Amino acid sequence: MECLYYFLGFLLLAARLPLDAAKRFHDVLGNERPSAYMREHNQLNGWSSDENDWNEKLYPVWKWGDMRWKNSWKGGRVQAVLTSDSPALVGSNITFAVNLIFPRCQKEDANGNIVYEKNCRNEAGLSADPYVYNWTAWSEDSDGENGTGQSHHNVFPDGKPFPHHPGWRRWNFIYVFHTLGQYFQKLGRCSVRVSVNTANVTLGPQLMEVTVYRRHGRAYVPIAEVKDVYVVTDQIPVFVTMSQKNDRNSSDETFLKDLPIMFDVLIHDPSHFLNYSTINYKWSFGDNTGLFVSTNHTVNHTYVLNGTFSLNLTVKAAAPGPCPPPPPPPRPSKPTPSLGPAGDNPLELSRIPDENCQINRYGHFQATITIVEGILEVNIIQMTDVLMPVPWPDSSLIDFVVTCQGSIPTEVCTVISDPTCEITQNTVCSPVDVDEMCLLTVRRTFNGTGTYCVNLTLGDDTSLALTSTLISVPDRDPASPLRMANSALISVGCLAIFVTVISLLVYKKHKEYNPIENSPGNVVRSKGLSVFLNRAKAVFFPGNQEKDPLLKNQEFKGVS
């Protein structure tokens, strides 16, 4: 009898050995084992438990560092990149995307085959065979016996058959996603996306792992593994962008006094979970102006004092959420007869939860901003054509008289463009020294006639103020008064030199070696010639025309 017990025990042990030897999904996909509570309360729709068996015959399992990984792909290693649109508000959908990066010179064609790119040379040089993997031919050979595609090898690691969507034969990669003790299998090409509803996902950071296999005849070969952390939260993910006119650098959270700042709230909701929710924004700007509540995601606020202020925003939205448990029914004081089936009992109906329950979700944003003085405004009040004593061919000088408000600028920049203000022709920047009145003259050169767009910017350490204008530069007519005056100046100058030379020659020719006498006639002639020359200089050489105040009052006939 004792021998019989031993024999039965041996049979039971032998029958159990295959079960113990069979791998399960959690043995293959990861070492993290969620607790029984996590498994029970994190059920993902459409996902399966990682306690299921893994078909290691079709899908071999290689540990990391196994030498077989080096030969898993022809021409190098394949890299898998896993991304997600995390963080996700609990109850919304989170989407994961996997993209495969092939070795150099390889790509996936329209039929799902892996081919070499034309005229691309890798370490092995140009390949005579255009295919890295010709899966179309493999598929035709492997399924040629029945033509139905129901071959025993067209299955996932858990034995479920591939879905036969249109074009499914062109999908040659198998992706196995694993998280929270569950897995999801997907047949795809070099890029796939999977969305998961987070209603039953535990709040906080979670780990997603993906293993990728490729076709290999009637079996599959692992080619890549990747993992990434995603976050599920009960707080609305909120971001705020801040911008201000004339602010030099909005990223440093330093802004200008007496100019409105625009605050724009961005809610991270890629699955549009809150599309039909009413969202309220409650602002506190930290400058004792009170609270401001709005349903608009943008708001403007102006700080009138310098200093540091604490900005606080609270976002409130009514979102779909779990319904609270129904209250227990009141006990009747006296037993009452039944009024019919349980579905018609009002007490029973009150226990049926409302499928459209909503819960208030909140999001918060805080920032510390600094308010300083800055250049608030800049204006061009006058444009003047500068008359030049010597003509510059095809060039004009124009003075721009500029005023500003706010702090004193330290630099000025002008950008001269075509009339559409799109094609830049010239950019000039220079430091400036301006008094408290903030009145300065900027001189710029224009090459050629026509219409120009002029952008003029005044700046300091914290601000940039811009103004623009269109200006028309007229043609320089050779018969214009300016050209005639320049010609007259040249002619008179030549005449004066000629008279001087002739006088010296005559004097040298008639010079006698007599003692110098104090002849009144000589003095008068000398003085007369001097007066003549001085008057000629006064008429034709009036001095620096730039200093003539009358020229400054000649307004340039341009377009402002």
Side-chain angles (χ1 to χ4, degrees):
M1 192 66 180
E2 184 177 358
C3 293
L4 179 62
Y5 288 152
Y6 279 116
F7 179 72
L8 291 176
F10 176 78
L11 291 178
L12 291 175
L13 181 61
R16 186 175 178 180
L17 280 176
L19 295 178
D20 292 339
K23 287 188 179 297
R24 299 184 179 184
F25 272 73
H26 62 72
D27 299 324
V28 177
L29 301 178
N31 297 323
E32 296 186 8
R33 299 293 306 279
S35 63
Y37 175 86
M38 291 280 287
R39 290 179 180 275
E40 181 181 355
H41 292 83
N42 289 274
Q43 293 295 321
L44 303 179
N45 186 26
W47 290 54
S48 305
S49 171
D50 63 4
E51 296 290 338
N52 292 344
D53 291 340
W54 176 281
N55 187 342
E56 192 174 4
K57 182 178 180 181
L58 279 179
Y59 294 86
V61 178
W62 300 342
K63 293 183 178 181
W64 194 251
D66 193 309
M67 295 300 294
R68 289 175 290 182
W69 280 103
K70 294 184 178 181
N71 299 319
S72 64
W73 189 268
K74 187 186 301 182
R77 289 293 303 273
V78 176
Q79 180 183 1
V81 179
L82 172 63
T83 59
S84 73
D85 53 16
S86 167
L89 181 64
V90 61
S92 68
N93 289 343
I94 183 171
T95 299
F96 299 90
V98 181
N99 293 282
L100 299 182
I101 301 177
F102 301 118
R104 175 175 168 78
C105 299
Q106 299 182 11
K107 67 176 183 179
E108 185 181 50
D109 68 5
N111 295 319
N113 299 312
I114 308 301
V115 297
Y116 290 103
E117 297 182 7
K118 293 183 179 180
N119 302 322
C120 182
R121 186 181 299 272
N122 57 15
E123 296 178 357
L126 293 175
S127 174
D129 186 359
Y131 290 98
V132 182
Y133 293 106
N134 188 355
W135 283 313
T136 302
W138 291 2
S139 178
E140 292 174 354
D141 293 341
S142 61
D143 295 336
E145 64 274 8
N146 52 26
T148 62
Q150 299 293 340
S151 302
H152 70 281
H153 60 274
N154 287 326
V155 294
F156 288 113
D158 63 356
K160 294 180 182 178
F162 292 160
H164 289 182
H165 301 299
W168 71 276
R169 292 181 182 276
R170 300 176 181 177
W171 301 349
N172 299 293
F173 297 100
I174 294 84
Y175 300 81
V176 184
F177 293 78
H178 181 236
T179 187
L180 299 171
Q182 299 159 81
Y183 68 89
F184 183 83
Q185 306 164 126
K186 188 175 181 67
L187 182 68
R189 300 186 62 171
C190 63
S191 177
V192 297
R193 296 167 64 91
V194 171
S195 294
V196 179
N197 185 267
T198 61
N200 296 327
V201 177
T202 302
L203 301 180
Q206 307 293 345
L207 183 66
M208 175 66 74
E209 301 170 286
V210 182
T211 301
V212 186
Y213 282 75
R214 68 165 174 87
R215 288 185 184 271
H216 183 68
R218 294 177 178 268
Y220 302 90
V221 173
I223 60 172
E225 294 177 344
V226 66
K227 60 182 65 177
D228 192 24
V229 174
Y230 64 98
V231 176
V232 177
T233 176
D234 60 353
Q235 298 287 311
I236 300 175
V238 175
F239 307 90
V240 177
T241 62
M242 296 175 279
S243 60
Q244 184 186 46
K245 176 185 175 182
N246 298 354
D247 182 35
R248 188 155 197 158
N249 182 11
S250 59
S251 62
D252 62 359
E253 297 185 346
T254 298
F255 299 95
L256 310 180
K257 187 186 76 170
D258 295 329
L259 282 180
I261 306 173
M262 187 181 77
F263 301 91
D264 190 4
V265 183
L266 305 176
I267 294 179
H268 182 71
D269 184 27
S271 66
H272 310 293
F273 182 60
L274 300 176
N275 263 17
Y276 301 101
S277 301
T278 300
I279 303 177
N280 294 309
Y281 305 88
K282 183 169 68 174
W283 297 89
S284 174
F285 298 101
D287 57 352
N288 297 324
T289 55
L291 297 177
F292 179 74
V293 180
S294 172
T295 57
N296 196 332
H297 64 90
T298 62
V299 66
N300 291 332
H301 185 74
T302 302
Y303 288 88
V304 297
L305 296 175
N306 294 340
T308 301
F309 302 91
S310 296
L311 173 70
N312 288 277
L313 167 67
T314 300
V315 178
K316 176 183 176 182
C323 296
R331 289 186 177 183
S333 56
K334 295 181 180 179
T336 57
S338 175
L339 300 177
D344 294 335
N345 191 329
L347 296 181
E348 293 291 335
L349 291 176
S350 65
R351 296 178 185 177
I352 300 176
D354 185 0
E355 296 296 334
N356 298 317
C357 293
Q358 290 189 327
I359 185 172
N360 287 331
R361 300 293 186 188
Y362 297 88
H364 302 278
F365 176 83
Q366 295 180 339
T368 300
I369 61 177
T370 303
I371 304 299
V372 297
E373 298 283 349
I375 304 172
L376 305 181
E377 187 177 356
V378 57
N379 292 292
I380 299 174
I381 62 174
Q382 185 178 355
M383 295 180 292
T384 306
D385 188 10
V386 179
L387 301 180
M388 298 173 289
V390 178
W392 290 5
D394 299 327
S395 296
S396 298
L397 284 179
I398 296 178
D399 281 347
F400 297 88
V401 180
V402 181
T403 62
C404 63
Q405 298 178 12
S407 60
I408 304 301
T410 58
E411 64 176 351
V412 58
C413 290
T414 53
V415 179
I416 300 175
S417 310
D418 69 323
T420 64
C421 301
E422 294 180 354
I423 303 177
T424 301
Q425 299 179 0
N426 186 26
T427 301
V428 178
C429 294
S430 58
V432 292
D433 187 10
V434 186
D435 59 15
E436 294 181 357
M437 297 297 294
C438 197
L439 180 67
L440 69 154
T441 300
V442 180
R443 176 170 296 181
R444 290 295 180 257
T445 302
F446 293 83
N447 296 322
T449 61
T451 302
Y452 297 89
C453 171
V454 179
N455 289 327
L456 190 146
T457 303
L458 298 182
D460 60 9
D461 292 339
T462 58
S463 59
L464 285 173
L466 170 69
T467 187
S468 300
T469 186
L470 286 176
I471 185 170
S472 180
V473 177
D475 187 14
R476 295 297 190 185
D477 188 359
S480 65
L482 180 61
R483 296 282 176 111
M484 294 178 63
N486 290 333
S487 300
L489 286 173
I490 296 174
S491 300
V492 171
C494 294
L495 178 61
I497 296 174
F498 176 76
V499 170
T500 302
V501 171
I502 294 299
S503 299
L504 291 175
L505 290 176
V506 171
Y507 171 75
K508 182 177 182 181
K509 182 176 181 181
H510 296 283
K511 181 180 179 182
E512 296 180 356
Y513 293 96
N514 295 325
I516 299 177
E517 298 179 358
N518 293 329
S519 173
N522 292 337
V523 174
V524 172
R525 285 195 295 270
S526 177
K527 289 185 178 179
L529 180 60
S530 176
V531 170
F532 170 78
L533 292 177
N534 288 335
R535 288 182 178 177
K537 291 180 181 180
V539 173
F540 296 106
F541 298 91
N544 188 355
Q545 296 187 21
E546 297 298 317
K547 297 181 179 179
D548 189 346
L550 295 179
L551 292 178
K552 293 186 178 180
N553 295 327
Q554 294 180 3
E555 183 176 357
F556 175 68
K557 303 302 183 181
V559 179
S560 61

